[in-house]
Amino acid sequence: MIKNYADIVFLGGEFRTQDEKRPIAEAVAVSGNTIVAVGGNDDIKRLKGPKTRVVEMEGRLGLPGFWDSHFHYYDWAMARTQLALSDVGDFDQCLARVESAANRTKPGDWIVGQGWNETDWPGARMPLKEDLDRVSPDNPVILWRCDLHLSVANSKALQLAGIDENTANPPEGVIEHHRNGQPNGVLREFASNLVKDVVPQPTEADRYRAMKGAMPQMHAMGITSVNDVRLPGGTEGAEVFRIWQKLRRNGDLAMRCWVSIPGERIDEAVSVGLTSGFGDDRLLVGYLKFYADGGMGARTAWMLEPFLDAGSGMPLTSVQDLRRAMEKAENAGLAIMVHAIGDRANREIVSLLEERIAARKPDANLPLLEHRIEHLQMIRPEDIRRLAALNVAACMQPPNLPIDINMIDRCLGARGRFAYSFRSALDAGVPVIFSSDCPVCNPAPLAGIHAAVTRSREDGTPEGGWHPSEKVTVEEAVRAYTISPARVYRMENRLGSISPGKLADMIVLDRNIFTEDPAQIAKTSVDLTVFDGKIVFEE
């Protein structure tokens, strides 16, 4: 029974509720884990009791909690304990960071780093094996590029992985070589797993500590719901799923989390009867994750026309294998998410989805969730229209755009106009949801909103935005982080808007991004985050 007074009331704000029945409100009341009233100050003040906490909004903006629908949460949480390279500004600074790590690391221990992006460095030179050998002669090193589709390893790491001039490329992977036939340290796509598999695994306690310890940072960014996506080829998937469950049992799961399963585990998932959406309102089974192709930065995205500086990329899973997997998963109650970057990959996946949906029988027992496309990074207009006709969601990543501008200009030229087609997808009617693909880039949703609205870096370049015809409005970007994912996850009756009867996941910002200069959105801070009716972050 709802109390006759609220536990928390928020007064004097501007709530953009994302509820079409009442899009703007002054005040909100929360009782237990539920929003019990939304309205004017006078209405909500009547619910204030002797023990009610009052939050004076002072005109600040209130929004539903943000969702990140494609987040490698485990990998990000563990990376917080490793060598961070996302902020290095050039080749020399990257090597200096590795050398500093080597100087404080016991000989023989691993150095694992992530986040470097050579396309934004002067000269655009990526490190090679010999460079890492010079600054870290006594420690094995592997450094992941920001997109996670390419890594570089030093000689000790290659030796431990058994990689030499005679090692064949693994399926869907490339080991690069110098002209003399020796590996140069660059590993593309699944070739990186040869090294990853010999890096000592953290203990369960280490993983638990890292995953729990990263949640306050999520709250500080205003994220209350996340889809944790597993990378392919790793051995940690089952262990991570167990830790999510342990966090839930122990009362340490302060987010709503959909856990996706690597596509190569489809047979195990089907055999034990897992279905998409199984769980409670905090921990649920998500999607099976498959890869149609690689990434732009590694030049492994599958393209209709060759890159200006490379070939046409590569499929990572054959179309026939994806067709079989989609049918098997759907018949078992599992939805799939398919990573598709290049325009050829996206065209093939749209065709597969057309086939699968057309083959459904009227009485088919379909998964709770619909299949969806991840990234949709480069797609031709005619394929956007085909996708829209299917009502299949596209999970896109605005915060990736700023770090890809130089790279896409270099490898695609004028064809870059088909990349990050936010406006075109929305106008066609594609259900678009936004995410970060973290740790590929900055996971803060406000950074993503800034990128989607301005199509520029945080310093304002390029002036006027990159391919500005694909800009979206602040309202559209906010919806793609709130009510739109709630609908995609079939949770719109419980989450996604500030509405009476819904779960109380809300945030308060320090400025109104709807009225501020869009260039200032990235400078906006989260002042307060409410999750499940409790204030979990307060600036």
Side-chain angles (χ1 to χ4, degrees), residues 40 50 89 126 301 320 325 476 537:
M126 69 171 64
Q320 184 59 33
E476 289 167 330
F537 170 78

Side-chain angles (χ1 to χ4, degrees), residues 412-430:
L412 294 179
R415 280 183 288 152
R417 68 188 185 277
F418 299 125
Y420 294 103
S421 301
F422 309 136
R423 174 84 274 141
S424 295
L426 285 169
D427 285 350
V430 176

Side-chain angles (χ1 to χ4, degrees), residues 263-283:
E264 65 259 30
R265 302 297 184 185
I266 183 172
D267 289 334
E268 293 96 322
V270 170
S271 68
V272 299
L274 288 178
T275 57
S276 295
F278 172 75
D280 57 24
D281 61 18
R282 292 210 192 186
L283 183 62

Side-chain angles (χ1 to χ4, degrees), residues 10 38 197 224 237 267 292 294 332 347 359 422 432 448 490 501:
F10 299 82
V38 179
D197 288 346
T224 55
D267 289 334
R347 178 165 294 179
F422 309 136
V432 172
R490 305 292 193 263

Side-chain angles (χ1 to χ4, degrees), residues 381-402:
E382 59 270 29
D383 295 321
I384 291 178
R385 292 190 291 271
R386 294 169 60 211
L387 178 61
L390 301 174
N391 198 35
V392 168
C395 183
M396 305 178 77
Q397 291 73 38
N400 285 22
L401 181 150

